[in-house]
Amino acid sequence: MAIDIVVTADAEAAAAAAAALLADAAAAGGSIVVAGGSTPRRAYELAAELNGDWGDAEVWFGDDRCVPASDLRSNQLLVHEALLERLIVPPTVHAIPTGLPPESAAALYDAALTGEPLDLVLLGLGPDGHTASLFPDAPSLDVRDRLAVAAEPGLEPFVRRITLTIPALESGRHVVFLAVGEGKAPAVRHAFAEEPSRAIPASLVRALRGRTTVILDEAAASLLDRA
Ligand code: 6PG
C-alpha cells in the first residue's frame, strides 16, 4: 500500500505541514482524529493560527490515558490547551470518557464511532513503533470487530489506555503520521520502510481506501534510504 513520505528540514516545518492538513480538514467540516503525546502540540498550535473556525468539524481522539481530563498525562488536556482553547469557533469534540471504568469507556466510544466516517486521522509514533495506544504484540492488534478498546500501556505513562483499533484507524480517508527527532529514526525505518510486523504496530496502520502520509523531519527520516 503506497505511502507518501514528506521530509521537512526541522520539527517546526513538520508541525507546519501537519497543521496545514488539520486546518484544511477542519475548514472542510471533516471528522478529525487527533493524536496524543508531545509531538503534535506545535502542530495544534499552528493549526489554530491557520484556521480559528472549526465549527463544522468534529474532533475524535485516537487514544487517551485513563486519567482525569485535568491530569497532565491526559491527551484531552493537551488538545484543549494546544488547540481547542485557541479557536474562535470550536468543533464538536468527542472526548473519550476516561473517568469511567476502561471497558465501559471503550464500549461507549466504540458505539459513538460506529458509522462515523473519519476524514483525517493524525497519529504519532512511539520509539517502540507503537501508535495511538496500540503497543507491540498487544492483543488490541487483533481486534477487528470493535473500533475502540481498553489497552494496557506498553510505555510510559504506565496507566491504562483507551485506543482506537486498527479497523478504526485504517478507515480514515487520510491517515497522517507525524514523527520528529533522531530518537524516532529506528521506529520510522521499521514502520515505513520494512515489512509490516506486530512488533511495530504503526507498520500495520495504513488508510485502507484512502491516502497515508508520513511527515518527518530530517532527523526522524535519517535511517530511510532516500534516493
Ligand atoms: C499517546 C499517543 C502516542 C504517541 C506516541 C509518541 O497517547 O501517547 O497517542 O501514540 O503518539 O507515544 O509520543 P510523543 O509524540 O510524545 O513522542
Side-chain angles (χ1 to χ4, degrees):
M1 206 167 284
I3 61 175
D4 295 318
I5 295 185
V6 174
V7 181
T8 65
D10 54 27
E12 181 73 5
L21 294 174
L22 287 162
D24 289 351
S31 282
I32 300 164
V33 177
V34 292
S38 57
T39 303
R41 180 181 288 275
R42 186 63 181 140
Y44 297 148
E45 292 170 353
L46 293 172
E49 287 174 20
L50 286 172
N51 171 15
D53 180 351
W54 286 42
D56 294 333
E58 304 205 28
V59 166
W60 299 84
F61 286 74
D63 70 327
D64 210 343
R65 294 78 177 272
C66 295
V67 294
S70 57
D71 188 302
L72 288 178
R73 297 165 295 181
S74 165
N75 290 339
Q76 209 180 136
L77 179 66
L78 158 75
V79 174
H80 267 277
E81 285 178 347
L83 176 64
L84 302 176
E85 289 164 11
R86 299 166 183 251
L87 298 176
I88 299 159
V89 184
T92 302
V93 179
H94 301 275
I96 297 176
T98 54
L100 296 177
E103 280 65 23
S104 307
L108 281 173
Y109 216 59
D110 173 52
L113 272 167
T114 300
E116 288 293 326
L118 300 176
D119 298 296
L120 177 65
V121 176
L122 180 66
L123 290 167
L125 176 68
D128 60 348
H130 83 261
T131 193
S133 282
L134 299 168
F135 290 98
D137 299 311
S140 56
L141 299 179
D142 302 314
V143 174
R144 303 297 305 180
D145 61 348
R146 274 169 293 155
L147 299 173
V149 291
E152 295 303 324
L155 264 188
E156 71 285 342
F158 288 100
V159 291
R160 292 201 74 193
R161 315 288 187 90
I162 308 298
T163 187
L164 265 57
T165 56
I166 291 176
L169 299 177
E170 69 184 10
S171 74
R173 206 166 46 78
H174 192 186
V175 172
V176 179
F177 287 90
L178 174 63
V180 299
E182 197 149 6
K184 297 291 175 77
V188 163
R189 182 178 174 86
H190 296 317
F192 306 118
E194 295 173 358
E195 283 305 302
S197 158
R198 292 169 51 78
I200 304 286
S203 71
L204 304 175
V205 178
R206 301 289 186 267
L208 212 50
R209 284 175 295 279
R211 285 190 298 151
T212 303
T213 303
V214 180
I215 300 174
L216 307 168
D217 66 353
E218 282 287 355
S222 58
L223 294 181
L224 294 180
D225 302 329
R226 283 184 287 143

